[in-house]
Amino acid sequence: MRVRLLALGTRMPDWVEAGVSEYQRRLTQDIRLDIEELPLPKRGPGSDTRSLVRQEAAALEKRLAKYPGCRTVALEVTGRRLTTHQLSNELGRLRDQGQDLNVLVGGPDGLCSELSARFPQWSLSDLTLPHPLVRILLAEQVYRAWSLLVGHPYHR
């Protein structure tokens, strides 16, 4: 199965790329993590935030169209908080059903509320996290969830 993080924003710092790559390298073929970056619309001094967020939503919808039938969740601060065991169970269930998972992360102004409302919402924390940390945190949690599924000693 594939866990796909569809994230608005590109050019992450090297330390983010290194952190995500480390967890991607550790995962085996039964669960893979992909990060797909979508460019942010141009922002300027007079940019209309609502318009930018709608443009970002359109870009995400276009990318989602490439993955029909995949389970999709939106990351939101107000979303459902999962324990590592719950995430592991969810990934195991999806893997056993042969289904992939898309995880949506909005731009600097968050996800478009209309887009986000179409999907179950998960939260990584009650805190608002910067996008670089979201990528590493999600990568680590996918790896930790996988380690539970296969009985690897990483999760103790």
Side-chain angles (χ1 to χ4, degrees):
M1 90 168 280
R2 293 220 179 260
V3 176
R4 240 177 252 101
L5 178 64
L6 304 179
L8 286 150
T10 56
R11 294 177 292 186
M12 288 292 117
D14 290 343
W15 60 270
V16 175
E17 299 294 339
V20 170
S21 293
E22 176 62 24
Y23 291 110
Q24 286 173 316
R25 182 187 63 76
R26 293 180 187 190
L27 287 164
T28 62
Q29 294 300 323
D30 63 336
I31 294 181
R32 305 298 303 161
L33 173 66
D34 296 327
I35 307 258
E36 294 189 18
E37 297 178 328
L38 291 84
L40 289 167
K42 299 277 188 233
R43 284 172 157 67
S47 295
D48 174 38
T49 303
R50 287 179 50 105
S51 175
L52 292 169
V53 169
R54 283 194 301 270
Q55 289 175 49
E56 293 167 0
L60 284 167
E61 287 180 13
K62 185 175 180 181
R63 185 61 60 95
L64 285 171
K66 293 173 62 175
Y67 307 114
C70 289
R71 171 136 160 94
T72 299
V73 298
L75 288 184
E76 294 282 4
V77 170
T78 58
R80 177 178 157 227
R81 288 179 288 179
L82 300 173
T83 67
T84 300
H85 286 279
Q86 289 170 324
L87 177 61
S88 181
N89 290 339
E90 180 72 11
L91 293 181
R93 185 182 64 73
L94 292 170
R95 180 195 61 191
D96 294 347
Q97 293 173 349
Q99 194 172 22
D100 291 341
L101 174 66
N102 295 322
V103 180
L104 305 180
V105 176
D109 300 300
L111 283 169
C112 174
S113 59
E114 291 84 11
L115 175 66
S116 183
R118 290 180 27 213
F119 304 106
Q121 297 176 7
W122 291 357
S123 176
L124 296 178
S125 171
D126 287 342
L127 302 171
T128 300
L129 300 171
H131 288 101
L133 289 182
V134 167
R135 292 177 187 211
I136 292 175
L137 184 60
L138 185 71
E140 193 279 338
Q141 284 300 297
V142 168
Y143 176 70
R144 186 176 294 272
W146 168 84
S147 74
L148 278 168
L149 287 171
V150 299
H152 188 280
Y154 180 80
H155 182 77
R156 293 187 188 114

